[in-house]
């Protein structure tokens, strides 16, 4: 007798969850809830870089602009602004509104990581990975929740591309043409959004080539190219009309070259591994890594090599078996190659040694490879606890268990340190709001300020106040949106909003002389608001 089941006549909704999936859901909800609380409190603190994305979202929402790249540069895509624009149109500009799409991307990142890890490795291991990714120190959460371009959306794009390739291999995807076109579209969007993801795109592309092989020489290849061109269309169109030397590739080449003498390779490797990797992983605070927190950076390249060897062995053993079995180790190798190339590119940069705390954010995409990197530890630990290995295997299993436990503990400590120390970030945001209120109460609608004040002030006031950027010598600074400079320059009597005691503040008070105190209309925390009479113009 044949007994029918819901799966025979249609998919059950909601789908039944086994234990690993149910635990993963709970851990994922905890991670999203934790970040939602931080988002509503505007933690981490906002800044003018993020405000520029918010202002672009406002301009998109009101139909004034259709920016391709971040104002003032030609290499960082504005996808985050376009995602926030509908919310800004409904609710108006605000930091939680700007960051809400990023929270959704983080939730999607968890779901896709779980699905890919479950298909490539094992259910309970996928659940453990979700639990680790649910934790988050300040550096990790800042990369996930602040709208500063690129990383949240490109990680989701890569995971979708890998799942498409694996789905094509095991036959779960029926509409192969549409899937290949979607793969190309995601690749194009990722390249436009953030070139940092190129190593992972290369790995995903090689995986697709392994799965499709000769198909890419025909219709599938055309669809892949068309999809990529559609996704990258904004970037391509902008670069075609860019002035000589101002195209994205030229700009990135200049940024990568840096200035001055590059630090020795040993210094870059030391800082990149001992600070960059553990900081980006979430083991350290943004102030730096203690010696006991740097261990994972030393272990990371070792794990990469071991995991790659394990994947190669699995691929060799799968020879002659169906493609669905052979694609799993190849997908793992694609993740490992993306991590290795990303790390090598980072270690080539002088910034890895000269400013490791500020630039560890460029390693945030290594989260994509966490399942593949930790898989050897999980295999060793499981084999040890099952008692299926000898003495050497038990020692390896005990070591794997200790490393996984140590990593979990370190990530938990990093999360707790950040979660219990958000007072400074909340105070910073309250001060920024108080400064905006003080400027409005003074009747100022056009002011000069430093870079880290201006666009944040403009966003906090929903463009009610325009702010033009000055440097420490009261000369024009980095004005990402020239319209604000023009608006302030046309004002009859502009004000000044400067950090007290800064070079610009000291120079302004010297220029005002005896009128400095009379021109000071407010002082909020460490920020002074001036409204000189008669008008005082900056040095041109």
């Amino acid at each position: 007798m044949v007994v029918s089941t819901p799966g025979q006549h249609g998919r059950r909704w909601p789908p039944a969850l086994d234990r690993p999936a149910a635990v993963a859901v709970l851990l994922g909800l905890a991670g999203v809830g934790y970040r939602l609380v931080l988002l509503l409190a505007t933690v981490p603190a906002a800044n003018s870089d993020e405000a520029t994305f918010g202002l672009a979202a406002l301009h998109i929402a009101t139909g004034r602009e259709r920016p391709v790249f971040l104002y003032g540069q030609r290499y960082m895509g504005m996808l985050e602004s376009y995602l926030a624009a509908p919310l800004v149109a409904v609710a108006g500009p605000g930091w939680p509104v700007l960051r809400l799409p990023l929270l959704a991307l983080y939730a999607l990142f968890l779901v896709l990581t779980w699905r890919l890890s479950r298909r490539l490795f094992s259910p309970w291991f996928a659940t453990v990975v979700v639990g680790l990714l649910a934790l988050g120190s300040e550096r990790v959460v800042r990369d996930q929740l602040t709208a500063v371009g690129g990383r949240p959306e490109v990680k989701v794009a890569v995971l979708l591309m890998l799942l498409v390739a694996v789905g094509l291999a095991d036959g779960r995807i029926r509409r192969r043409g549409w899937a290949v076109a979607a793969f190309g579209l995601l690749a194009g969007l990722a390249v436009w959004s953030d070139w940092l993801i190129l190593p992972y795109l290369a790995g995903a592309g090689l995986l697709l080539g392994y799965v499709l092989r000769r198909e890419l020489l025909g219709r599938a290849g055309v669809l892949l190219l068309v999809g990529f061109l559609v996704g990258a269309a904004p970037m391509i169109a902008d670069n075609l009309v860019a002035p000589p030397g101002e195209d994205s590739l030229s700009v990135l080449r200049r940024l990568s070259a840096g200035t001055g003498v590059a630090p020795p390779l040993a210094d870059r490797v030391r800082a990149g591994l001992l600070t960059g990797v553990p900081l980006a992983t979430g083991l350290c605070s943004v102030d730096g890594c203690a010696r006991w927190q740097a261990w994972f950076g030393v272990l990371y390249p070792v794990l990469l090599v071991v995991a790659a060897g394990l994947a190669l062995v699995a691929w060799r053993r799968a020879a002659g078996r169906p493609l669905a079995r052979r694609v799993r180790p190849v997908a793992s190798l694609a993740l490992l190659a993306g991590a290795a190339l990303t790390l090598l590119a980072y270690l080539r940069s002088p910034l890895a040694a000269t400013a490791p705390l500020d630039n560890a954010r460029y390693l945030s995409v290594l989260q994509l490879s966490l399942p593949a990197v930790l898989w050897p530890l999980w295999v060793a630990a499981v084999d040890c606890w099952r008692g299926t290995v000898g003495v050497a295997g038990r020692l390896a299993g005990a070591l794997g268990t200790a490393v996984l436990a140590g990593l979990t503990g370190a990530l938990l400590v990093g999360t707790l340190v950040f979660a219990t120390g958000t007072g400074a970030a909340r105070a910073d945001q309250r001060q920024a709001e108080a400064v905006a209120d003080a400027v409005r109460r003074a009747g100022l609608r056009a002011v000069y300020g430093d870079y880290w004040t201006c666009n944040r002030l403009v966003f906090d006031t929903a463009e009610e106040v325009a702010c033009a950027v000055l440097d420490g010598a009261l000369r024009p600074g980095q004005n990402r949106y020239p319209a604000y400079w023009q608006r302030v320059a046309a004002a009859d009597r502009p004000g000044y909003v400067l950090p007290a005691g800064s070079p610009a503040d000291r120079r302004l008070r010297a220029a005002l002389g005896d009128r400095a105190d009379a021109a000071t209309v407010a002082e909020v925390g460490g920020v002074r608001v001036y409204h000189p009479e008669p008008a005082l113009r900056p040095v041109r």
Side-chain angles (χ1 to χ4, degrees), residues 64-85:
R64 285 184 285 162
E65 300 274 355
R66 292 292 182 268
V68 174
F69 295 114
L70 181 63
Y71 295 141
Q73 62 187 45
R74 303 186 89 104
Y75 64 91
M76 180 66 72
M78 300 297 286
L79 187 56
E80 290 176 9
S81 295
Y82 282 95
L83 291 175

Side-chain angles (χ1 to χ4, degrees), residues 284-495:
C284 313
S285 71
V286 291
D287 298 326
C289 298
R291 287 188 177 182
W292 69 271
Q293 296 170 317
W295 62 271
F296 190 68
V298 177
L299 187 60
Y300 194 84
V302 177
L303 289 175
L304 280 178
V305 173
V306 173
L310 194 64
L312 286 171
V313 170
W315 177 70
R316 297 258 332 243
R317 289 178 176 175
R321 295 189 177 185
L323 182 59
R325 291 290 302 273
R326 287 181 282 126
V327 76
R328 295 176 187 173
V330 179
S332 181
L333 285 170
L335 289 170
L336 296 169
L341 292 173
T342 297
L343 188 56
L344 288 173
Y346 180 74
L347 296 179
R348 286 184 66 249
S349 170
L351 296 175
T354 58
L357 298 181
D358 293 333
N359 294 282
R361 64 185 186 275
Y362 296 122
L363 293 176
S364 66
V365 292
L366 293 182
Q367 284 186 333
L368 286 166
S369 301
L370 189 66
V373 170
L374 298 183
W375 177 240
L377 299 173
W378 179 265
V379 170
V382 169
D383 288 346
C384 172
W385 289 103
R386 286 177 177 172
T388 58
V389 290
V391 175
R394 291 180 182 178
L395 289 175
L399 179 61
T401 303
V403 171
L404 287 173
L407 179 62
T408 303
L411 292 175
L412 183 59
V413 169
T415 301
L416 292 174
V417 168
F418 174 47
T420 57
T422 60
R426 295 199 304 271
D428 179 80
Q429 181 60 27
R430 287 195 298 268
Q431 177 173 310
E433 293 170 357
V435 169
D437 290 339
V439 170
R440 282 183 292 210
R441 283 197 305 270
L444 292 168
R445 295 298 178 266
V447 299
Y448 292 100
D450 70 330
Y451 178 80
W452 295 110
T453 298
C454 266
N455 278 9
R456 188 177 183 182
L457 174 62
V458 177
F459 188 72
D460 278 334
T461 61
E463 290 191 311
E464 185 180 343
V465 176
C467 186
V469 179
L470 300 175
D471 63 14
L474 298 184
R475 296 179 183 274
Q478 186 182 9
N479 285 277
R480 290 190 176 274
Y481 193 62
Y484 296 146
W485 177 272
Q486 296 164 5
R487 179 174 157 185
V488 176
D492 293 333
R493 188 183 157 206

Side-chain angles (χ1 to χ4, degrees), residues 111-341:
V111 172
L112 296 176
T113 299
W114 180 81
R115 288 181 63 87
L116 184 65
S117 299
R118 184 172 176 125
R119 294 177 71 173
L120 298 185
F121 306 112
S122 74
W124 277 113
F125 175 67
T127 299
V128 169
V129 170
V130 170
L132 295 177
L133 293 175
L135 300 170
S137 65
E138 181 175 357
R139 177 71 272 163
V140 170
V141 173
R142 182 174 291 278
D143 289 330
Q144 293 169 341
L145 285 190
T146 56
V148 291
R151 292 173 288 279
E153 61 267 33
V154 296
K155 289 190 292 186
V156 167
V158 167
L159 290 171
L160 284 170
M161 292 165 67
L162 293 173
L163 283 168
V164 165
V166 173
L168 288 170
D170 61 21
R172 296 192 184 195
I173 296 179
R174 302 299 181 186
R175 297 179 180 273
R176 299 175 70 84
W178 284 106
V180 173
F183 187 102
L185 177 68
L186 290 167
L189 287 171
V191 171
W192 166 43
S193 189
D194 193 346
W195 287 39
L196 188 68
I197 203 65
L198 284 178
Y200 282 94
L201 294 183
L206 290 175
L207 177 63
L208 184 70
Y210 178 81
V211 171
L212 296 184
R213 301 186 184 183
R214 294 181 180 178
E215 287 184 60
L216 289 178
L217 299 178
R219 176 173 173 267
V222 175
L223 292 172
L224 180 67
L225 179 61
V226 170
F228 177 83
L229 292 176
V230 171
M235 178 190 71
I236 295 172
D238 188 89
N239 277 271
L240 289 175
V241 298
E246 292 301 318
D247 59 281
S248 300
L249 187 59
S250 298
V251 172
L252 286 170
R253 190 182 294 119
R254 287 198 301 271
L255 292 174
S256 300
T259 57
V261 180
L265 177 61
D267 292 346
R268 284 177 274 150
V269 172
R270 185 183 304 109
L273 292 182
L274 300 185
T275 300
V277 171
L279 186 58
T281 306
L283 277 69
C284 313
S285 71
V286 291
D287 298 326
C289 298
R291 287 188 177 182
W292 69 271
Q293 296 170 317
W295 62 271
F296 190 68
V298 177
L299 187 60
Y300 194 84
V302 177
L303 289 175
L304 280 178
V305 173
V306 173
L310 194 64
L312 286 171
V313 170
W315 177 70
R316 297 258 332 243
R317 289 178 176 175
R321 295 189 177 185
L323 182 59
R325 291 290 302 273
R326 287 181 282 126
V327 76
R328 295 176 187 173
V330 179
S332 181
L333 285 170
L335 289 170
L336 296 169
L341 292 173

Side-chain angles (χ1 to χ4, degrees), residues 468-526:
V469 179
L470 300 175
D471 63 14
L474 298 184
R475 296 179 183 274
Q478 186 182 9
N479 285 277
R480 290 190 176 274
Y481 193 62
Y484 296 146
W485 177 272
Q486 296 164 5
R487 179 174 157 185
V488 176
D492 293 333
R493 188 183 157 206
Y496 288 78
V497 182
L498 300 170
S502 65
D505 181 56
R506 293 195 301 269
R507 188 174 289 267
L508 177 64
R509 293 187 72 85
L512 291 171
D514 295 338
R515 296 179 294 137
D517 290 336
T520 306
V521 295
E523 184 166 347
V524 181

